[in-house]
Each structure stands twice: as C-alpha cells, then as structure tokens.
Amino acid sequence: MPSINVPLISIALADPTRFGILRSISSCEMISSHALCEMFGVTPATVSHHLQQLRLASLVVSSRDGRWRRHKVNREVLGAYVSALSKLALVHTEAHEDSASV
C-alpha cells in the first residue's frame, strides 16, 4: 500500500465541489478538464484549482491530451485512504467497547 497523508486527503475531500469532481472522475476511466467544466458549470480556472488540490493529495493523476488535460483517479491511494479510515473506525469501536466493560 502506498504511503498516504490522511489529513491532506481529508482536507481535499472536505470541499463539496472537489468531492463531486472526484466522484465524477472515478465514475469513468478518464475525463477531460473541459468535460468537468461543463458538468459543474464552473470556469477552467476553478476546475484547475480543484484538480490541483486533488493531485497534491495524490488522489488524481493527470496527463495532457492536446488542448485539454485528462484525469483519472489514483485508485491505489483512494483504497489506502478508505482502509486507513476503516482502521480508525475499528480502533474507535474497540476503545468504546473496552471503556463500556469497565
């Protein structure tokens, strides 16, 4: 599993538009910046900003395709993030059960 920055990913996903962009990207193999602009009704600069934050969190990988960039989800990082959150929930559940039995 890759090394991930859970707080950075959490911050990146806290923005509703950014979360929606990630969800849209994850629903297909690859998607262009232009398509994301049309889907979300925002400017290229706004999409670019959100994608930069998702790339900094290693959630999205981008490549140039002519005039537009194409983006795909880094599923390995996303999977590691989900796993880290699952472990956190498990630790919380176990701690709660231990304190209830005292």
Side-chain angles (χ1 to χ4, degrees):
M1 248 185 220
S3 174
I4 61 167
N5 185 331
V6 172
L8 181 64
I9 294 172
S10 298
I11 291 167
L13 295 177
D15 182 279
T17 302
R18 200 170 298 136
F19 184 82
I21 288 172
L22 182 68
R23 185 174 28 203
S24 294
I25 296 170
S26 69
S27 70
C28 54
E29 182 68 26
M30 290 191 92
I31 192 167
S32 70
S33 299
H34 179 72
L36 290 169
C37 289
E38 289 181 350
M39 290 171 78
F40 288 90
V42 296
T43 66
T46 299
V47 166
S48 179
H49 167 73
H50 286 303
L51 288 168
Q52 178 62 23
Q53 297 305 309
L54 293 170
R55 281 192 299 272
L56 285 172
S58 300
L59 289 168
V60 170
V61 178
S62 303
S63 60
R64 184 154 302 279
D65 181 20
R67 183 175 173 198
W68 300 103
R69 291 187 126 202
R70 295 178 58 84
H71 315 282
K72 66 179 181 178
V73 170
N74 185 339
R75 296 195 187 278
E76 189 176 356
V77 168
L78 186 58
Y81 176 68
V82 170
S83 177
L85 291 180
S86 295
K87 288 177 186 173
L88 180 63
L90 182 61
V91 168
H92 175 72
T93 301
E94 290 173 351
H96 180 69
E97 289 172 357
D98 288 346
S99 67
S101 64
V102 174

